[in-house]
Amino acid sequence: MRLSIKNLIKDKPIGSEVEINGWLKSQRKNKNFSFIILNDGSTQDDVQVIADSTLGNYEDFSKIGTGGSLGIKGKVVESQGKQDFEIQATEVIVYGDVSENYPLQKKGTSMEFLREVAHFRPRTNTFGAVFRIRHALAQATHRFFDEKGYFYINTPIISAMDAEGAGELFRVSTLDAANPPMENGKVDFSKDYFGKETFLCVTGQLEAEAFACGMGGVYTFGPTFRSENSNTPRHLAEFWMIEPEVAFADLDDVASLGAEYIQYMIKYAMEKCPKELEFLNKFIDKGLLEKLNSVKDTPFKKITYTEAVDILQKSGQKFEYKVEWGADLQTEHERFLTDKHFNGPVIVTDYPKEIKAFYMKQNPDGKTVRAMDILVPGVGEIIGGSQREENYDKLVARMEELDLELDLYRWFLDLRLNGTVPHSGFGLGFERAVMYITGMSNIRDVIPFHRTPGHVEF
Ligand code: ATP
Ligand code: MN
């Protein structure tokens, strides 16, 4: 079993014999020996190996280029250089050289270029850092909700409902696309696999509500699909969402929960991945550590949508989209609030009902709903949530206004007729959180293999 470089660095067993494996970062040779810099992806740090020219296969391994894979057996010794130790090789095993076309030979390859060779991104310092942090944030998520006594549930990926009502759905069908069964000039989905139209889920919220209204507090963490045709640096067609849903909780409760969760993730990443954050702070986003340090224990600002509109209108700032009460906040507006006005995360509550989903609790003013978005600098919206309408009549009235097919939502409505309770929840876009905490500026660079309009390589 391999010894990871991470554990080697942790234990620094000077004097002992070890075996490590990895990919060549660089190799410099002179008459007497070769200096090998090796990384195995377990940690940000590389290990330096000295391999004497007296080793039997010196000719073979000393010509291996950057990206080639090697195994090293040798002794851990104190180092003269800036590293605290190095390995004096007794054996070098060559697993594989690289071809002439190996794309990571050159330094300074751009993020755009790396997306075209996404299968090699895990070998780079930047992506190693991002994906070790992504892993830590996933662990932090489960710990955070588990510590709070919330249960992890898995909601369906195939759904018959457009739960967000935004129509950004991917169809799931086994009908012959070239020759579907027709009925009165329309495709007859009653002949489809499930006997009705089905889609990939845009959220697991409605099903999570059923579990919250029985188990108290639950959360989902799963893939989510939206066919929105938005080629932006913060939208994916396939992304991961964490959705807590809490019974006997109101909007303020889940707004606080959201802020606490984000701060928990930041602290966890700082504890588990200090080297990764240092690296990203140096090469990707110079203000990253300062930002994380200041956000991790500062209470988030909270304003209503109406106050936000007021701030934006009085800002004197020129926006591409006009700020008007009733219109959704655009990225430029969100960014003004977070990056300029508040210089930190902000929770915006009580949006106009027209721009939010049907299930949100209606305020007595008849115009707004108990919604909240958490916006953060550099990214914009990271969390969208609400208190849910638990009153059957009000919910049905809103659904009828929006022409929703009540039959599809029968079970959801049933929850309001049988032991209904106030409850609230939110969705946090996992990749948006990873962007925020790593300082990466394009969402395509924080998911292993991205799906966006026109792109489904790898
Ligand atoms: P946006 O206005 O940014 O499109 P939204 O209002 O459609 O977001 P919600 O429906 O509230 O988003 O979804 C909850 C969270 O899921 C968002 O706050 C965001 O973090 C994330 N999210 C939504 N759409 C996407 C997407 N296409 N790609 C990545 N993350 C997304
Ligand atoms: Mn959207």
Side-chain angles (χ1 to χ4, degrees):
M1 188 50 188
R2 79 188 172 110
L3 170 66
S4 70
I5 291 179
K6 181 179 181 164
N7 284 335
L8 175 67
I9 289 172
K10 195 170 81 196
D11 299 342
K12 276 192 216 95
I14 301 284
S16 60
E17 300 284 337
V18 295
E19 179 177 349
I20 57 167
N21 304 285
W23 292 268
L24 246 182
K25 275 274 146 87
S26 69
Q27 164 152 242
R28 268 188 299 129
K29 57 178 168 176
N30 62 26
K31 268 207 316 294
N32 303 322
F33 54 84
S34 175
F35 260 128
I36 293 171
I37 306 291
L38 206 68
N39 185 285
D40 69 355
S42 63
T43 175
Q44 204 67 33
D45 292 313
D46 306 324
V47 159
Q48 183 168 297
V49 179
I50 311 289
D52 286 338
S53 57
T54 52
L55 287 170
N57 58 344
Y58 187 74
E59 286 305 312
D60 289 341
F61 71 75
S62 65
K63 64 176 201 299
I64 301 288
T66 298
S69 42
L70 297 179
I72 308 283
K73 291 183 183 169
K75 194 170 176 185
V76 184
V77 296
E78 306 268 0
S79 168
Q80 276 84 40
K82 56 181 171 144
Q83 256 141 346
D84 342 337
F85 71 90
E86 58 198 27
I87 295 181
Q88 181 71 51
T90 51
E91 189 183 341
V92 177
I93 304 142
V94 176
Y95 290 111
D97 200 350
V98 288
S99 66
E100 266 168 45
N101 302 325
Y102 183 62
L104 305 186
Q105 298 274 16
K106 296 175 290 285
K107 286 239 152 88
T109 30
S110 70
M111 291 293 163
E112 288 77 11
F113 173 72
L114 289 171
R115 270 173 229 149
E116 290 168 23
V117 292
H119 53 307
F120 286 130
R121 294 197 302 189
R123 305 233 188 126
T124 66
N125 289 330
T126 302
F127 288 88
V130 167
F131 287 96
R132 281 188 295 275
I133 292 172
R134 185 179 164 119
H135 162 81
L137 298 180
Q139 301 295 323
T141 296
H142 288 298
R143 285 199 189 192
F144 176 75
F145 289 110
D146 184 54
E147 281 167 14
K148 293 215 167 292
Y150 291 23
F151 300 104
Y152 174 39
I153 57 158
N154 305 108
T155 50
I157 288 169
I158 299 174
S159 169
M161 298 173 293
D162 178 6
E164 290 295 315
E168 298 165 337
L169 302 165
F170 285 103
R171 182 181 300 289
V172 175
S173 174
T174 53
L175 293 179
D176 178 0
N179 187 24
M182 303 295 286
E183 177 85 24
N184 301 326
K186 282 189 177 158
V187 176
D188 181 7
F189 286 104
S190 72
K191 303 235 165 57
D192 206 344
Y193 188 90
F194 294 105
K196 56 172 84 159
E197 280 189 277
T198 47
F199 309 95
L200 294 177
C201 65
V202 291
T203 169
Q205 178 203 316
L206 306 193
E207 293 86 354
E209 283 189 42
F211 273 78
C213 295
M215 296 179 76
V218 298
Y219 70 103
T220 71
F221 186 168
T224 312
F225 307 87
R226 295 191 186 178
S227 67
E228 50 197 336
N229 207 357
S230 33
N231 237 321
T232 78
R234 44 184 222 131
H235 287 94
L236 293 165
E238 177 180 298
F239 62 100
W240 289 70
M241 190 147 68
I242 292 108
E243 296 184 276
E245 191 66 37
V246 200
F248 309 104
D250 67 13
L251 188 74
D252 293 325
D253 294 328
V254 290
S256 307
L257 181 73
E260 193 186 336
Y261 169 37
I262 292 170
Q263 291 178 322
Y264 187 98
M265 281 196 283
I266 293 175
K267 288 180 208 158
Y268 194 85
M270 291 178 87
E271 183 195 324
K272 298 288 180 180
C273 304
K275 298 247 170 168
E276 283 77 5
L277 290 170
E278 235 171 74
F279 175 87
L280 294 168
N281 189 65
K282 196 160 164 200
F283 294 105
I284 299 291
D285 174 3
K286 297 261 184 283
L288 181 65
L289 285 175
E290 192 190 325
K291 170 186 91 179
L292 297 179
N293 264 313
S294 91
V295 169
K296 74 184 199 317
D297 337 89
T298 314
F300 289 15
K301 298 277 179 332
K302 199 161 163 194
I303 55 170
T304 65
Y305 165 87
T306 304
E307 286 164 344
V309 167
D310 200 45
I311 292 170
L312 292 165
Q313 284 174 340
K314 288 186 179 143
S315 67
Q317 189 85 8
K318 273 221 164 57
F319 294 114
E320 192 184 328
Y321 292 88
K322 197 165 168 226
V323 183
E324 262 176 316
W325 201 98
D328 209 353
L329 299 181
Q330 300 293 326
T331 306
E332 54 174 346
H333 307 140
E334 296 178 350
R335 296 288 296 274
F336 178 85
L337 293 171
T338 52
D339 298 23
K340 298 228 170 77
H341 190 83
F342 290 106
N343 190 27
V346 54
I347 306 174
V348 181
T349 67
D350 300 288
Y351 283 78
K353 67 173 189 218
E354 278 73 24
I355 57 171
K356 289 289 180 188
F358 71 92
Y359 49 71
M360 297 190 181
K361 186 171 176 66
Q362 297 157 38
N363 274 320
D365 65 9
K367 294 192 297 190
T368 59
V369 286
R370 295 249 71 196
M372 64 106 183
D373 282 1
I374 300 188
L375 317 176
V376 297
V379 179
E381 179 186 335
I382 191 167
I383 280 182
S386 68
Q387 184 159 343
R388 320 306 190 187
E389 184 55 76
E390 85 271 23
N391 180 291
Y392 179 84
D393 294 328
K394 286 186 184 164
L395 183 57
V396 167
R398 183 68 185 138
M399 291 173 80
E400 282 174 342
E401 253 170 46
L402 293 169
D403 248 347
L404 293 177
E405 204 179 320
L406 293 190
D407 258 1
L408 284 178
Y409 300 86
R410 204 33 75 193
W411 65 268
F412 185 71
L413 291 167
D414 238 11
L415 295 171
R416 275 73 181 168
L417 288 174
N418 301 278
T420 192
V421 297
H423 61 289
S424 305
F426 63 76
L428 170 129
F430 191 51
E431 286 75 20
R432 299 247 180 116
V434 179
M435 282 174 80
Y436 181 55
I437 295 172
T438 58
M440 297 293 281
S441 56
N442 195 309
I443 199 163
R444 290 164 181 76
D445 302 328
V446 299
I447 188 158
F449 297 100
H450 66 277
R451 271 86 184 93
T452 46
H455 182 97
V456 63
E457 308 309 319
F458 305 100

